[in-house]
Amino acid sequence: MTHEFDETTLRGVLGHMNNDHVDDNVLITRAFAAVPDVVSAEMVHFDGDGGRWQVVTATGSHETVTIPWPGGPITERPEVRREVVALYDAACARLGVTPRPHA
């Protein structure tokens, strides 16, 4: 059964991703979503199996995409950061972008 995170965790992570990592959302979805020409992306949900983003394409279409966590299912809040960072690093590698250092 898929782990569901509490509302506090969801709000915290989603707020952080959508305020501080807007470009990372686009990079991740460009690399892993089966949607062409992503121009904007907002992380709208996540659970133990992966993250969900609302994307807008160059043609103006809106799609919701789900991308699984690279390390497999998770159940703890600290694992969310680890998996998002892993998605970011893998997206950089896939798209030929130099990743920034992680704090």
Side-chain angles (χ1 to χ4, degrees):
M1 177 173 254
T2 300
H3 179 77
E4 294 295 334
F5 289 91
D6 63 77
E7 286 300 316
T8 301
T9 299
L10 289 169
R11 271 193 312 275
V13 171
L14 295 175
H16 177 69
M17 288 300 295
N18 294 323
N19 292 316
D20 298 338
H21 296 286
V22 174
D23 293 338
D24 296 353
N25 287 331
V26 173
L27 188 76
I28 289 166
T29 55
R30 281 184 179 163
F32 298 110
V35 176
D37 302 322
V38 172
V39 295
S40 70
E42 177 181 9
M43 192 175 200
V44 294
H45 189 73
F46 63 91
D47 58 27
D49 291 336
R52 190 171 307 127
W53 285 262
Q54 178 72 39
V55 301
V56 178
T57 68
T59 63
S61 73
H62 293 247
E63 305 282 339
T64 301
V65 298
T66 300
I67 302 170
W69 301 129
I74 61 174
T75 59
E76 303 293 328
R77 182 180 178 141
E79 295 173 309
V80 178
R81 182 185 190 282
R82 180 193 71 209
E83 294 303 314
V84 170
V85 168
L87 274 177
Y88 168 79
D89 288 341
C92 288
R94 181 174 276 195
L95 298 175
V97 174
T98 302
R100 70 179 176 287
H102 305 295

